[in-house]
Amino acid sequence: MSAQTPEVRSTEQLREKWMKPEVITGSEILLRSLLLEGVECVFGYPGGAVLYIYDAMYGFEDFKHVLTRHEQGAIHAADGYARASGKVGVCIATSGPGATNLVTGIATAYMDSVPLVVITGNVATSLIGTDAFQEADITGITMPITKHSYLVRDVNDLPRIIHEAFHIASTGRQGPVLIDIPKDVSAATTLFQPEDTINLRGYNPRTVPNKLQLDKLARAIEQAERPMILAGGGVIYSGAHEALHEFVNKTGIPITTTLLGLGGFPSGHELWTGMPGMHGTYTSNQGIQQSDLLISIGARFDDRVTGKLAGFAPNAKIAHIDIDPAEIGKNVPTDIPIVGDVKTVLEMLNPLVSYASKADAWRDQISKWKAEYPYRYVDSDTVLKPQWVIEMLNDTTKGEAIVTTDVGQHQMWAAQYYKFNRPRSWITSGGLGTMGFGFPSAIGAQMANPDRLVISINGDGGMQMCSQELAICAINNIPVKIVVINNQVLGMVRQWQELIYDNRYSHIDLAGSPDFVKLAEAYGVKGLHATNKEEARQAWAEAMETPGPVLVEFVVEKGENVYPMVPQGSTIDQMLMGDA
């Protein structure tokens, strides 16, 4: 059989087929335009207002769609796909409740600067504003949590709008863009003419920094005695990890990476101090507080990092590198503002900087803190400690897995005890803190990286919020390894109620949760259970040897807390260190 037969078509042949000018429906225009944007997979859930779109998928072999079991599962999967691949994630839902079920996922992506194109159906244009069946003003509802949104009123605008949406979502500070398509627009026909140009008045993100500001920062590094780098998710989103590695090696400046910045700098590097903030390392927090020059790179000074703003980095000159000018000076007064793409900035900055020679004593101090104050917990041979479970996962995978988490104590333990070696290996809801995110995001991450090991770490609370997506793993044989850290309680809420609310435990008991092994098996996914170290090792080894999806439930100590912890209202050097 020739390589050029219809069964084995080249990408060029497919693009030529998709770009062919024809009179087709808005729905067919949508599908072709998505393929021309390089979309490999769309996650969605059909309904009345998008039936023309789903009808256009029928028999369209080039278009791949994954039917989730809930719209929230669809958008979290698209989010995980985007974070793990660096591409734009795409999801589709119908009007009304289908669209509103996406709102939490849109907000999650918006807070964490994740590029998504979210496609919703709407009632026919003649019915908009009449309170028609399943009508909701989704563009109005999501205005505060989208980078931009479109309500398509003319089928001829579709190719341009789709092309613009992908451009806006993936450039500058990335984020979600919503396209709302009324049912009559998806049914209307016109001559398809693909759009390949961009002309957006007023939208021109600045990527190249001011050279004078770079010189100013280079001079500040020369003079600094206690410099510190705070690197965030922007390093990963811009693909700047190699440039950052060069910057640290050239300057010799200690570096801490935020929750979303984990993986942007290798955890094994001698100058890496761990994560900062509420549950960060002693070294990172003391390093920030005692620094005389703090260089923020692609981080937005979130309150979980800064603690009490009035006491944050009190003696430091602040340099802030960010693609979004609105972030600079928003929370922390900035002395050296540098607006630009992080990768571009660092590549321009690296030739200008030299070794911070006045910081030798500072590097020695950082090394002493790292040796004296690592993460610690009190281990046990009788009960399973959650920190030990994460350490086991790290040891058996050599830190090479893609790890997604839900939100809560397990999320912080994973951030503390799993050591990441490369970017786009850590996927978690940072800004919004969305329970239910962890498992469906792992599905998207696995589809973006079919040859890599993907581990989804969840609490027993969050796992129940999107557990129906187990069906997707079973049906499509998506080999995610699903970990449930089961402490039978809403753990982070319990921890706060213990430490801050004087042990007044209110509505946190998750007794009555399902048997997670039986739940997995009900969906056709292998389920395993462990209550001690030996069972844990055996169950995890079996999970790793199983080619398809597996759920492993680790029943852990109920009263375990995440330490260190900075209480709200405190500065980040006022840390509760815990029993250890």
Side-chain angles (χ1 to χ4, degrees), residues 421-441:
N421 299 319
R422 47 178 161 160
R424 300 198 180 278
S425 296
W426 167 249
I427 296 169
T428 196
S429 172
L432 199 65
T434 303
M435 289 182 68
F437 171 85
F439 174 43
S441 69

Side-chain angles (χ1 to χ4, degrees), residues 66 70 100 236 270 293 444:
V66 174
H70 193 286
T100 57
I236 295 168
E270 62 181 1
L293 174 64

Side-chain angles (χ1 to χ4, degrees), residues 85 495 580:
S85 67
Q495 177 169 335

Side-chain angles (χ1 to χ4, degrees), residues 7 20-22 105 120 140 155 179 215 220 241 268 307 321 379 395 422 430 519 540 567 571:
E7 286 76 9
K20 183 179 179 182
E22 288 182 274
T120 55
V155 68
I179 304 175
D215 292 336
H241 53 284
I321 301 169
D379 201 3
D395 293 343
R422 47 178 161 160
L519 180 66
W540 183 244
T571 56

Side-chain angles (χ1 to χ4, degrees), residues 42-45 54 65-81 89-93 101-102 116 440-441 444 466 468-469:
V42 172
F43 304 88
Y45 202 94
Y54 276 83
H65 175 278
V66 174
L67 173 64
T68 60
R69 295 301 183 264
H70 193 286
E71 290 89 356
Q72 190 164 332
I75 192 164
H76 290 333
D79 185 314
Y81 177 93
V90 182
C91 64
I92 299 178
N101 277 345
L102 298 175
L116 297 183
S441 69
C466 279
Q468 69 278 352
E469 306 307 335

Side-chain angles (χ1 to χ4, degrees), residues 61 98 114 135 176 236 247 264 374 447 480 507:
E61 295 179 355
V114 178
E135 180 189 4
I236 295 168
F247 179 68
M447 296 197 70
V480 175
H507 300 286

